[in-house]
Amino acid sequence: DEAGEGVVTLAAVSRALVRMFARYAQDDRVILPLLATLDQLLTHGLVHPEYCLQVIECIKTELNHSPKKDVKKLLGSIKVTCGLLGMPPEADPARPLRTTCLLFALSLLGNRFPKVRASTAQQLYTVLLTFSESFADVDDDAMDDVLAALMDRHWDSADAAAVRAKRDGL
């Protein structure tokens, strides 16, 4: 059965990508292209849902052990995190993936680098609009408030403390 073989292959590729995170931790010449690859695979729905939570955990671990000034890695991580938020609800029935990704994205909204904050806000806004059906369980008024906050605030302001205070309102 071709469909069965495709699922097995997709799972094998996803598993291999997760293993690469562990094997090449802190090796930017591997991790940065791996983040770009994951972003492209997620864009086309080619990451097996079983491995999505492991992917976000790998990203968080990678960033926790990286220099805090690694903007390229932070920007790549934002793309993958928002891509994971686009997973269909049936792939994440208990919502641990969505919760983990949203909390991680909120932490990036408080990052000290304006470019990271602005990129996070823009991509989070886009994913919330694009995959609104995945967030059907969220109150419409609350979602409107979040979208307005993501769009209206000056996330690229030099005053990180003021931006964090605004983020905490989300």
Side-chain angles (χ1 to χ4, degrees):
D1 172 43
E2 285 184 34
E5 290 175 18
V7 172
V8 171
T9 303
L10 185 59
V13 169
S14 299
R15 183 174 42 253
L17 293 171
V18 169
R19 287 182 183 161
M20 285 179 71
F21 262 111
R23 184 173 180 185
Y24 296 101
Q26 305 309 302
D27 186 348
D28 287 355
R29 69 182 179 82
V30 176
I31 297 298
L32 292 173
L34 179 58
L35 289 169
T37 300
L38 279 166
D39 177 42
Q40 288 300 309
L41 291 172
L42 285 163
T43 298
H44 299 289
L46 297 174
V47 175
H48 196 281
E50 180 181 334
Y51 295 95
C52 290
L53 196 55
Q54 291 176 37
V55 168
I56 190 66
E57 292 302 331
C58 287
I59 289 171
K60 288 168 55 178
T61 301
E62 179 71 23
L63 290 177
N64 284 336
H65 294 98
S66 292
K68 300 301 179 201
K69 297 179 181 178
D70 198 341
V71 175
K72 285 183 182 180
K73 197 177 288 184
L74 287 164
L75 293 173
S77 298
I78 293 164
K79 290 179 181 179
V80 174
T81 301
C82 288
L84 289 167
L85 282 170
M87 291 298 289
E90 56 272 7
D92 185 31
R95 300 291 196 216
L97 176 65
R98 181 173 80 171
T99 301
T100 303
C101 289
L102 285 172
L103 290 173
F104 182 62
L106 284 173
S107 74
L108 291 174
L109 280 175
N111 189 277
R112 67 179 174 163
F113 295 108
K115 185 174 184 175
V116 172
R117 294 191 306 265
S119 180
T120 301
Q122 183 266 326
Q123 290 183 48
L124 193 54
Y125 179 83
T126 301
V127 81
L128 291 174
L129 279 179
T130 304
F131 300 104
S132 59
E133 69 279 354
S134 295
F135 298 93
D137 58 326
V138 177
D139 178 64
D140 287 341
D141 291 335
M143 182 61 81
D144 289 344
D145 291 345
V146 169
L147 291 172
L150 288 171
M151 187 173 69
D152 293 341
R153 303 237 168 92
H154 297 287
W155 297 103
D156 55 355
S157 167
D159 187 2
V163 171
R164 284 188 195 106
K166 292 176 184 178
R167 176 215 49 201
D168 293 343
L170 291 174

